[in-house]
Amino acid sequence: MSRQSVTVLGSTGSIGASTLDVMARHPERYQAHALTGHRRIDVLAGQCLAHWPARAVVADAAAVDALDGLTRSAYVKAGRRLQIDHGVRALCEVAGEADTVMAAIVGAAGLLPTLAAARAGRRVLLANKEALVMAGPLFMQVVREHGATLLPIDSEHNAIFQCMPVGGRPSGADVLRIVLTASGGPFRTVPVEQLASVTPDQACAHPNWAMGRKISVDSATMMNKGLEVIEAHWLFGLAPADIEVLIHPQSVIHSLVAYRDGSMLAQLGNPDMRTPIAHALAYPERIDAGVAPLDLVQVARLSFERPDLQRFPCLGLAYAALAAGGSAAALLNAANEVAVEAFLGQTVGYMDIPRIVEQTINAIAVTAPSSLEDVIAADDAARRVARGIVRSLSSRTGLPA
Ligand code: NAD
Ligand code: MG
């Protein structure tokens, strides 16, 4: 069997590291082609020396020199060569070169490289949900036209994919609806009036999953689930009314599909992203992921509740953006990225996040993007407006902008 070459976009992140962990368990199947990271060059260097990719991409020229310094002698000793580049163009290049591309850059920064992988007709493992939220119709069109294989990594979407008929899409009217499960995050039971004063570290302390800081805050606000509703709409072609969200604090059922004969199919497992990653890497085969089997007796109880939109206004904002269509989801995503960054930088408070998102969407007319440039223009406009709101909020509270 010839080995699959794999580019891991965002290899230094949480999903990236889990991907390399699964690949390392199967050296006869997977070979790293390129690894990319933005800031943690020491981590990236360690990954290069463990996986020997031919290419690496970093943020800027200084990072190129730093990575070169950390890897050159080991590569020379091993008789290998590492080509190190920086910037978006290089990210798009390495995304187009491998058999399989793990799209695990966080946020809008992942859009162009992920699209490049789809345009090159690759097998695209999609963790970077923001790319699909921003540019859903365009993204799916590129996947279709260029014969790419799109496999969802988000645990909910991967679960739904596994519970769908072969091919991962509903056939005819058989599928009535899907249910996305959500843990409810760290503030599920915290009194609403205390939320205004929670800190970034509290927001990032997720009860069940260890993830990057941006998605951890999104999980606390449930914007993550909102982005996932939009992601599910584009991946599975279901109407918003047929995409339900339920809070399931144990994070054992990763999502469900309801069929017209009364069947409900669910995918269960321990909350460990290596399961969906291994599923997508090996699909349609199954490989060991290093994940312990689920002990149902120890889990004992599975509970469900409806999300409270007073506590989680971001979820309502995301459904509204999906209903509005056009550029609305790109505006939502960009405003959320700015708001979360400001919250993580302690410039605004936690409850300012939905405020910034809502005010940004209300301030900008929704358009119907017909090109990538239109999507990027909407993203830019939303960032400008959201940053203005951050400045006015921080000057009011005396926090640094
Ligand atoms: P993370 O913050 O741990 O890692 C992000 C990666 O992106 C890093 O490698 C970083 O270097 C890179 N990066 C950041 N900014 C960049 C930029 N401007 N240009 C190029 N690279 C950049 O994030 P994560 O938790 O691994 O999440 C990655 C993606 O996967 C996100 O879209 C997230 O929503 C999605 N996802 C994550 C999980 C999870 O369990 N962590 C689950 C489902 C979906
Ligand atoms: Mg998810």
Side-chain angles (χ1 to χ4, degrees):
M1 184 171 65
S2 72
R3 293 199 292 175
Q4 263 184 63
S5 65
V6 184
T7 283
V8 184
L9 299 169
S11 65
T12 55
S14 162
I15 292 286
S18 294
T19 304
L20 291 177
D21 180 284
V22 176
M23 285 169 58
R25 290 166 193 277
H26 306 279
E28 73 297 349
R29 298 182 75 118
Y30 307 109
Q31 160 68 48
H33 167 68
L35 303 182
T36 87
H38 209 53
R39 287 210 181 86
R40 298 160 66 205
I41 299 306
D42 50 335
V43 174
L44 185 58
Q47 293 180 337
C48 289
L49 300 187
H51 294 270
W52 303 107
R55 300 193 63 175
V57 184
V58 293
D60 51 34
V64 171
D65 291 343
L67 183 63
D68 186 54
L70 291 170
T71 55
R72 178 173 288 274
S73 67
Y75 263 78
V76 169
K77 212 168 174 183
R80 299 170 184 263
R81 204 181 101 71
L82 176 64
Q83 181 185 337
I84 310 173
D85 297 282
H86 66 88
V88 177
R89 185 184 295 188
L91 286 174
C92 293
E93 242 174 65
V94 300
E97 288 171 353
D99 301 323
T100 295
V101 178
M102 166 56 80
I105 291 174
V106 60
L111 175 64
L112 294 178
T114 306
L115 265 178
R119 211 167 265 130
R122 302 301 168 193
R123 182 180 175 107
V124 184
L125 277 42
L126 185 75
N128 179 214
K129 66 192 88 186
E130 296 92 343
L132 201 51
V133 168
M134 291 173 73
L138 200 96
F139 192 100
M140 296 309 285
Q141 190 188 344
V142 170
V143 167
R144 271 193 309 276
E145 286 178 359
H146 296 264
T149 304
L150 187 60
L151 294 166
I153 292 299
D154 222 334
S155 57
E156 298 75 4
H157 306 72
N158 185 271
I160 291 165
F161 183 91
Q162 294 195 47
C163 297
M164 281 283 180
V166 175
R169 305 262 301 182
S171 57
D174 289 354
V175 170
L176 296 184
R177 65 196 168 90
I178 57 179
V179 180
L180 298 179
T181 52
S183 68
F187 305 139
R188 183 172 62 90
T189 56
V190 171
V192 175
E193 59 280 6
Q194 288 176 21
L195 290 179
S197 58
V198 297
T199 66
D201 282 347
Q202 288 172 320
C204 289
H206 196 278
N208 307 338
W209 298 94
M211 309 182 284
R213 282 173 81 79
K214 191 264 180 181
I215 185 177
S216 295
V217 176
D218 285 349
S219 297
T221 62
M222 280 190 83
M223 179 59 93
N224 182 50
K225 212 50 51 179
L227 299 178
E228 290 182 358
V229 168
I230 300 172
E231 182 186 13
H233 170 72
W234 296 118
L235 282 175
F236 304 113
L238 289 163
D242 299 330
I243 306 174
E244 191 184 344
V245 170
L246 284 183
I247 291 183
H248 163 48
Q250 297 83 9
S251 296
V252 163
I253 296 188
H254 298 306
S255 279
L256 309 95
V257 177
Y259 284 85
R260 65 169 153 186
D261 61 3
S263 295
M264 224 173 176
L265 302 192
Q267 187 259 354
L268 288 73
N270 283 316
D272 188 322
M273 290 306 292
R274 290 177 301 175
T275 294
I277 290 167
H279 170 264
L281 274 172
Y283 179 80
E285 293 169 35
R286 297 274 178 173
I287 55 172
D288 172 39
V291 178
L294 184 63
D295 181 342
L296 283 171
V297 174
Q298 204 195 347
V299 173
R301 223 159 252 99
L302 299 175
S303 58
F304 304 91
E305 57 196 66
R306 288 200 191 287
D308 167 6
L309 293 184
Q310 301 294 115
R311 179 183 292 276
F312 300 113
C314 286
L315 181 59
L317 291 171
Y319 268 107
L322 181 56
S327 59
L331 301 178
L332 172 96
N333 179 66
N336 181 60
E337 285 190 27
V338 170
V340 171
E341 200 183 311
F343 169 66
L344 285 172
Q346 294 182 297
T347 306
V348 301
Y350 177 79
M351 289 311 284
D352 289 328
I353 296 172
R355 220 167 272 148
I356 293 164
V357 173
E358 184 168 20
Q359 287 180 16
T360 302
I361 292 177
N362 289 342
I364 303 174
V366 171
T367 57
S370 58
S371 67
L372 192 55
E373 288 69 34
D374 292 349
V375 171
I376 291 169
D379 177 274
D380 280 346
R383 277 170 207 273
R384 267 197 307 279
V385 170
R387 286 195 190 110
I389 300 169
V390 166
R391 273 194 298 278
S392 66
L393 284 170
S394 64
S395 64
R396 207 189 51 198
T397 55
L399 292 166

